[in-house]
Amino acid sequence: MKERRKGIAILGSTGSIGTQALDVIRSQAEYFSAEILTSFNNADLLIRQAMEFMPDAVVISNESKYAKVRDALSRLPIKVYAGSDAISQVVKHDNIDTVLTAMVGYSGLKPTLSAVEAGKNIALANKETLVVAGELVMNKAIERGVNIHPVDSEHSAIYQCMAGEWSNPIEKIYLTASGGPFRGKDRNFLSTVKKEQALKHPNWEMGAKITIDSASMMNKGLEMIEAKWLFNLKPEQIEVIVHPQSIIHSIVQFEDGSMKAQMGLPDMKLPIQYALAYPDRLKSDFPRFNFALYPQLSFEAPDLESFRNLALAMEAMKRGGNLPCILNAANEVAVSAFLHDRISFTEMSSLVEDCMQHISFLEHPTYDDYVSTDSETRSFAEKCIPA
Ligand code: MG
């Protein structure tokens, strides 16, 4: 048993990653305690989680739900705050060792920067933060001596392969992709798909935004940019390979040609636990891999013609500057519009491309530039969508 349990802040505790992180904390209660829980909108689940885990504080971003949460927890010694600015404040609390960033999209940037500034280790599940402002976040982390432990399964795989290898340069990495529900389909087919089809992922149970991103392959594009910053790689050192079984979670190739892969069943609890317990491996009862059930592992090249998003993300990664920020903001608007039946599946890529062409390119953006690029892109994208 550790001298003191690690204090964990979970930003986005009511989402898919957040609830699985609480499963991990529940089963590893001698190592971890949940000290901060935050939710964007789900007051009921946040209240139930607070009653079970007795954190020091909770934050509900949607201020109209503040009174409900406060009243429900009034007899308990739990501080209740509201509004997204409160999240950037609570992550600085002394009882926090690691901040798990599991909110959706661009909203993760500000609290992540605030936690890094306060010297907290990050368990990063919010890839958009690095997509938008990777250079800024990584430089700040180095300056503050903070570790960023990836939770994304592919990046966790690379991170696990790097144990004992940090002095050995990476020649290249292979990020594996399941290919999603529309693997092998062409653009004609893709132009007709409905959100119900796109929301059914073959291997992974995830939130709506990332499930659509996986179906459109934007998720893998965002992950390439995330990997570039996490592992300090050049774009040409990052390759995507489609591996439909999702057993090999990614591969590192070293300069002697040797390749290390990390494998296991697709279950986010493992990368979550690894990020929280790093560098230790805690005994778990997660289901074990059975070779008899997977007689074949297969690999194929991604289809950049049908899945335009992946090509667009590669372009954004190569050109850098604020282009990944534009890509991300346009994609967040596009996914939301698709989920509201306002645009088709393939129109998502067209919208992202229009934004990348229209919004001014900045080679060396500051934090303020990212904020204005994000809002400019969102309003331009909204205007492009037919009413
Ligand atoms: Mg992933």
Side-chain angles (χ1 to χ4, degrees), residues 125 174 177 246 265 333:
Y174 291 90
S246 297
L265 291 171
V333 174

Side-chain angles (χ1 to χ4, degrees), residues 224 228 233-239 314 317-319:
M224 292 178 85
K228 171 183 187 265
L233 299 172
K234 297 191 177 73
E236 56 272 22
Q237 290 176 290
I238 306 169
E239 195 164 321
M314 285 176 183
M317 172 174 69
K318 284 180 191 144
R319 286 182 59 204

Side-chain angles (χ1 to χ4, degrees), residues 127 152-155 204 206 210 219-220 223 226 268:
K127 70 191 76 181
D152 211 345
S153 61
E154 296 78 1
H155 306 73
W204 294 96
M206 305 175 290
I210 185 173
N219 184 52
K220 209 51 55 179
E223 287 182 353
E226 180 186 15
M268 284 309 294

Side-chain angles (χ1 to χ4, degrees), residues 44 47 80 95-96 130 146 174 213 307 384:
D44 293 322
I47 290 165
V80 179
N95 52 358
I96 303 301
L130 288 190
V146 159
Y174 291 90
D213 283 345
F307 296 90
C384 295

Side-chain angles (χ1 to χ4, degrees), residues 339-358:
L339 286 172
H340 289 93
D341 302 311
R342 296 171 65 204
I343 60 174
S344 73
F345 191 81
T346 41
E347 280 166 348
M348 289 196 289
S349 308
S350 316
L351 185 61
V352 171
E353 191 163 14
D354 286 349
C355 291
M356 286 171 68
Q357 283 166 2
H358 183 271

Side-chain angles (χ1 to χ4, degrees), residues 85-101:
D85 284 345
I87 300 173
S88 300
Q89 292 304 315
V90 293
V91 293
K92 300 178 188 164
H93 286 186
D94 287 341
N95 52 358
I96 303 301
D97 299 293
T98 297
V99 176
L100 172 66
T101 62

